[in-house]
Amino acid sequence: MPRPILLGICGDSATGKTTLTRGLVRILGEAQVTHIDGDHYHRYTRTQRAEVGMTPLHPEANHLDILEQHLVHLRAGEPILKPVYRHRDGTLSPAEHVAPAQFTIVEGMLGFHTPAMRDTYDARIFLDPPEDLRRRWKVQRDCSRRGYTTDEVLAELDRREADAETFIRPQRRYADIV
């Protein structure tokens, strides 16, 4: 197999990263695409993050060093043992074996955080919808799929704002497409 083509899709929570990824998988064909979700690289469970007072947008709340290594392996056509984060209950599960396909799509909030990560992608996309739309999407998704109330989601968005401004939005400048 020739070297996999790596596509990075980055943006804040509820910007459409998964929706875009699903569309690309359909277009390219499931057998041709490996999908990696950056949320699986969370260092802490949801409970542990609350205890340490850290949002998942903060680099230190994630195993970015491992993600960085995994990107290098995937680009080289080598399989990885990917960590697993379960959004349903905010816990961590045993790692799973993932092999790259012809196309490897890596989506996440901190995918362009380090120069080494940015250098592994063949193309980088940053999703940046208007903030009022993103907030509506986040409320809709987190209430319907993750069991939160509207007030809980809005409070969490407010709590995350400083980290979004500091760590997520600056990655926009590294994108090939916004």
Side-chain angles (χ1 to χ4, degrees):
M1 175 175 90
R3 182 183 70 74
I5 295 171
L6 261 69
L7 172 63
I9 301 175
C10 190
D12 203 344
S13 181
T15 55
K17 298 179 300 292
T18 301
T19 301
L20 177 60
T21 298
R22 286 180 185 149
L24 290 169
V25 169
R26 276 190 233 116
I27 290 167
L28 297 169
E30 286 187 35
Q32 304 301 316
V33 181
T34 294
H35 169 223
I36 303 291
D37 183 343
D39 288 355
H40 289 293
Y41 291 84
H42 288 334
R43 181 180 305 270
Y44 305 113
T45 66
R46 190 175 297 143
T47 302
Q48 290 169 329
R49 278 196 313 267
E51 290 169 357
V52 298
M54 193 173 285
T55 77
L57 284 66
H58 197 291
E60 291 178 16
N62 296 275
H63 289 292
L64 296 183
D65 54 340
I66 296 171
L67 176 57
E68 198 173 274
Q69 291 173 2
H70 284 178
L71 291 173
V72 170
H73 286 290
L74 292 165
R75 184 176 172 89
E78 302 166 352
I80 60 169
L81 280 176
K82 182 189 69 58
V84 175
Y85 177 81
R86 296 170 28 166
H87 274 288
R88 178 175 60 253
D89 59 8
T91 61
L92 303 171
S93 293
E96 61 185 23
H97 182 270
V98 175
Q102 180 180 358
F103 300 95
T104 297
I105 301 174
V106 181
E107 63 157 297
M109 294 184 290
L110 293 162
F112 307 158
H113 186 69
T114 69
M117 292 166 77
R118 294 188 293 269
D119 289 345
T120 60
Y121 299 111
D122 293 291
R124 295 180 301 265
I125 298 172
F126 187 87
L127 298 179
D128 193 18
E131 185 62 12
D132 63 326
L133 180 59
R134 183 186 78 84
R135 288 174 72 92
R136 281 198 313 262
W137 287 345
K138 176 122 175 101
V139 168
Q140 180 182 12
R141 182 197 66 197
D142 287 4
C143 291
S144 67
R145 295 187 202 154
R146 297 183 181 170
Y148 292 101
T149 67
T150 298
D151 288 342
E152 288 172 328
V153 177
L154 293 174
E156 181 66 10
L157 281 166
D158 291 343
R159 193 173 77 77
R160 291 175 167 205
E161 179 54 31
D163 283 351
E165 183 67 28
T166 303
F167 303 115
I168 307 303
R169 292 185 197 120
Q171 295 174 97
R172 184 182 199 273
R173 70 178 172 258
Y174 302 116
D176 299 308
I177 300 168
V178 177

